[in-house]
Amino acid sequence: MTKALYVHVPFCAHICYYCDFCHSIYQKDRAHRWLEAFKREFKERVDDEVSTIYIGGGTPTALDDDLLEELLKTLACVHDPDKEYTIEINPETLNAKKVELLKRYGINRASIGMISSNDKELASLGRRHSFSDVTRTVELLKRYGIDNYSLDILYSFPGETFENYKKTIAEALALRPKHLSLYSLTIEEGTLFYKRGVEHFDEDEEADYYEYAKKAFEENGLLQYEVSNFALKGYESKHNLVYWHYEDFIGLSMGASGKIGAMRYDNTRDLIEYEKGHYIKERLDLKKEDMMYEYLMMGLRLNDGISLSDFEKRFDTSVFEAYKKTLPSLLESGSVKVIDGHLIASDLEILNTILVDLLDQDSE
Ligand code: SF4
């Protein structure tokens, strides 16, 4: 089976106050060393066609033009123009030369970190772009024929007002994206917000924000298909569906993770180790119980839930048998339901509670 390919670009032009993803500020000499090592890793570990490619980060577009071109050139041998090929974009780092490269090397989908349409809010989050950078990015992409773009929006952060949020949602929709991702702020250890003691948004208020956006998106044809993701029909992220369907994917580069069959791995984050060819830092052999739970954890995030027949085919047992201690009460309470051969979470907002209940299967 062909696998999806994820490539992590481990640098950002700056570090946002809420982010625990990226720990390395972009410096061209370090990025150059990283890229040389990446080319070796790619050659050693990818020898087959891939189903989708996703270049994420970090900030892939923070790379200087020559390094970005070298990266795209390296990946060109596994790229198939009919398949989804996505890159993440930070609006302040994009220019016409970079978009021309993206187009030339076959990128056909972009995920843009819009976050908010309010410049003061963006600055308060440590973002370096303004909303005009977002509109400029969209125009540039469209000019080069990349019209499949997604916008990332963040909500429930300190100082955000509902008035500004409504404006952000309206401005995002006005940019006519094919896909939208909506994330609530979580305060992660190690971030500047954590160090400053920033408190989490009120949960009820957060739920109201979510419902507001969901309704507005759906009125504009962008239907929810996963907890945080909305798309016009046919524009769901094929790459991310690989994760949610618990299929295999190869993660390359520093800080990436991957899953091949029952083996999950995390790559090193250390450039020196990476240059030595010690790509994988940790391997985990998953037991069948772990895989069944992870399959549910990922699949129940989807509006379509999990396929009962696929579960049975993979694990040689039915989900009802595997979760016979916990599933009946969840079905009885209506937290999950079976529709057209799928097990579905009735309300994605209580997904965590459902998953905790399912986890009790193991502890009984
Ligand atoms: S640009 Fe993205 S990855 Fe980089 S620090 Fe900001 S949120 Fe994190």
Side-chain angles (χ1 to χ4, degrees):
M1 196 207 277
T2 56
K3 300 172 190 70
L5 175 63
Y6 173 75
V7 176
H8 189 76
V9 176
F11 307 104
C12 280
H14 64 278
I15 308 293
C16 304
Y17 302 159
Y18 57 92
C19 181
D20 68 338
F21 265 19
C22 178
H23 301 281
S24 192
I25 299 273
Y26 180 72
Q27 289 168 325
K28 190 165 185 184
D29 57 335
R30 275 175 65 79
H32 190 264
R33 284 168 51 197
W34 160 77
L35 187 57
E36 288 308 305
F38 171 77
K39 288 195 273 184
R40 293 193 292 276
E41 185 193 20
F42 177 77
K43 212 164 154 193
E44 279 177 38
R45 297 185 55 203
V46 182
D47 53 7
D48 209 353
E49 64 177 285
V50 295
S51 56
T52 54
I53 308 176
Y54 192 106
I55 308 176
T59 305
T61 46
L63 295 174
D64 277 274
D65 298 352
D66 54 337
L67 298 187
L68 180 63
E69 177 160 19
E70 196 65 28
L71 174 65
L72 297 171
K73 209 188 274 177
T74 305
L75 297 170
C77 64
V78 288
H79 165 59
D80 171 341
D82 294 333
K83 298 197 175 144
E84 187 182 275
Y85 190 0
T86 306
I87 191 164
E88 285 178 0
I89 292 174
N90 262 6
E92 77 277 21
T93 56
L94 200 73
N95 56 36
K97 168 74 184 160
K98 284 183 185 163
V99 187
E100 186 272 318
L101 286 173
L102 303 184
K103 181 68 184 169
R104 178 150 34 107
Y105 286 94
I107 298 270
N108 50 32
R109 185 172 182 276
S111 173
I112 306 167
M114 169 177 159
I115 309 300
S116 162
S117 68
N118 183 295
D119 290 348
K120 280 195 186 137
E121 286 183 351
L122 288 167
S124 76
L125 292 161
R127 302 290 303 199
R128 294 278 169 87
H129 70 272
S130 62
F131 182 57
S132 62
D133 291 322
V134 178
T135 52
R136 186 184 53 84
T137 294
V138 167
E139 276 160 25
L140 270 175
L141 289 168
K142 287 205 291 202
R143 195 186 310 156
Y144 283 85
I146 304 175
D147 59 6
N148 183 4
Y149 50 86
S150 174
L151 301 173
D152 282 358
I153 295 172
L154 188 72
Y155 71 105
S156 72
F157 49 81
E160 184 179 26
T161 65
F162 195 54
E163 279 316 301
N164 285 346
Y165 177 69
K166 286 199 285 189
K167 204 154 175 245
T168 290
I169 300 298
E171 306 258 33
L173 288 168
L175 291 171
R176 312 293 298 265
K178 303 276 196 284
H179 188 282
L180 278 158
S181 299
L182 181 70
Y183 301 112
S184 64
L185 180 81
T186 49
I187 313 286
E188 304 289 350
E189 230 176 301
T191 61
L192 190 69
F193 274 179
Y194 183 84
K195 287 177 200 147
R196 282 182 185 167
V198 168
E199 286 184 11
H200 197 275
F201 222 60
D202 176 81
E203 272 184 25
D204 290 337
E205 221 179 320
E206 187 174 287
D208 292 344
Y209 275 50
Y210 178 81
E211 280 308 320
Y212 176 84
K214 184 172 171 237
K215 189 163 172 280
F217 295 163
E218 295 190 345
E219 281 168 3
N220 284 273
L222 289 134
L223 306 181
Q224 185 183 35
Y225 69 102
E226 192 267 351
V227 179
S228 308
N229 287 282
F230 303 79
L232 296 181
K233 210 167 163 25
Y235 286 92
E236 299 82 6
S237 163
K238 293 185 180 60
H239 183 87
N240 288 342
L241 280 168
V242 166
Y243 305 141
W244 297 317
H245 287 153
Y246 204 53
E247 287 162 6
D248 289 349
F249 61 99
I250 308 169
L252 293 186
S253 166
M254 286 156 58
S257 304
K259 184 187 96 68
I260 313 286
M263 197 269 281
R264 189 137 44 75
Y265 65 86
D266 292 322
N267 265 12
T268 180
R269 288 172 180 262
D270 183 321
L271 180 56
I272 295 175
E273 285 300 301
Y274 189 63
E275 285 181 301
K276 283 184 194 157
H278 302 160
Y279 308 124
I280 296 182
K281 186 174 177 208
E282 259 182 63
R283 279 171 217 268
L284 184 65
D285 290 318
L286 298 162
K287 293 193 290 233
K288 184 176 164 186
E289 296 72 47
D290 300 330
M291 294 180 76
M292 287 195 298
Y293 185 71
E294 288 186 0
Y295 181 90
L296 288 180
M297 201 168 73
M298 299 308 283
L300 288 177
R301 297 180 62 87
L302 294 165
N303 288 50
D304 284 347
I306 62 142
S307 153
L308 298 175
S309 59
D310 188 52
F311 186 97
E312 200 156 339
K313 206 162 84 196
R314 284 180 187 227
F315 303 113
D316 214 18
T317 181
S318 80
V319 71
F320 305 108
E321 180 56 29
Y323 288 89
K324 62 182 175 212
K325 289 184 193 161
T326 49
L327 204 44
S329 57
L330 286 169
L331 284 163
E332 205 179 296
S333 68
S335 302
V336 294
K337 54 194 174 190
V338 173
I339 299 176
D340 293 338
H342 285 71
L343 182 72
I344 292 170
S346 308
D347 181 356
L348 291 175
E349 285 184 62
I350 57 154
L351 184 57
N352 284 345
T353 318
I354 296 171
L355 290 170
V356 168
D357 285 351
L358 286 169
L359 196 59
D360 281 346
Q361 176 81 21
D362 292 333
S363 56
E364 279 174 32

